[in-house]
Amino acid sequence: MFTADGDEVAARAGASVAAALIAAGRPALGRSPRDGRPRGAFCLMGVCQQCVMRIDGVRRPACMVEARAGMVVESLA
């Protein structure tokens, strides 16, 4: 379990933060800084930056970070 925007999220072993959030029914991982529209995972290999979130205080692509117990994840914008 990890915390995402104040909510507890369960994750399977080896799952990325993005995969865990999508599996938990949270496909919108953030909002566009330009127009506020929801942003979700796109390439799922760390290239596009669509799923960047603040993970334990550092901006990182959520698709490239393995979920682990106790981490704190925050949406951007």
Side-chain angles (χ1 to χ4, degrees):
M1 296 278 263
F2 64 92
T3 303
D5 296 325
D7 298 325
E8 292 290 318
V9 178
R12 291 180 178 231
S16 69
V17 170
L21 289 168
I22 291 167
R26 297 183 54 167
L29 305 178
R31 299 235 167 241
S32 168
R34 218 175 354 168
D35 59 15
R37 291 183 2 192
R39 295 172 80 169
F42 181 70
C43 73
L44 292 172
M45 59 185 196
V47 176
C48 73
Q49 305 297 305
Q50 286 294 308
C51 67
V52 170
M53 302 182 85
R54 184 165 282 112
I55 300 173
D56 289 335
V58 179
R59 289 173 53 108
R60 301 192 53 202
C63 67
M64 299 304 294
V65 177
E66 188 173 335
R68 62 174 172 67
M71 69 183 355
V72 177
V73 178
E74 300 168 284
S75 298
L76 299 177

